[in-house]
Amino acid sequence: MPYIGFARSPYGPAKTYELIMDELRKRGFRIGFSKHHWMGDAPFGLVVVETERGAIAIRWNIGDAFTIRLEEVNDDDWDGFVEDTLEYLSGD
């Protein structure tokens, strides 16, 4: 089953992406592919990751400290989460 996640970070997009990837590895996910979406003037982004345990989509935003929370969801909820976030990022 896929996962959705929510992360907060006091860092910019590049460092936040690194922290998310490191945290997923610590939690036992083996990463095959990942993609990072963000908009230059928005304080948030989306990291999409393919792992042997399923797809992961993590929406991150600026916060006081780095935190991350994951939830296992069904395919329809994962698709909706990714589509809604990408739509918001693209300004549609």
Side-chain angles (χ1 to χ4, degrees), residues 7-89:
R8 296 184 68 91
S9 174
Y11 307 106
K15 178 71 173 175
T16 298
Y17 173 75
E18 289 176 26
L19 291 171
I20 289 170
M21 300 305 282
D22 289 345
E23 183 62 28
L24 291 175
R25 287 184 190 100
K26 286 179 192 173
R27 294 182 185 204
F29 290 96
R30 284 194 316 244
I31 297 163
F33 173 80
S34 65
K35 189 170 188 177
H36 189 190
H37 303 271
W38 79 92
M39 194 168 58
D41 58 347
F44 70 94
L46 177 70
V47 176
V48 178
V49 183
E50 293 294 330
T51 76
E52 84 293 348
R53 291 166 47 189
I56 304 171
I58 299 173
R59 186 184 301 154
W60 64 266
N61 63 3
I62 300 295
D64 293 336
F66 181 76
T67 61
I68 189 169
R69 176 173 53 96
L70 292 177
E71 302 174 14
E72 197 170 359
V73 296
N74 65 44
D75 290 333
D76 290 338
D77 289 342
W78 189 89
D79 289 341
F81 180 83
V82 171
E83 287 176 19
D84 289 349
T85 305
L86 289 175
E87 211 172 276
Y88 192 76
L89 279 168

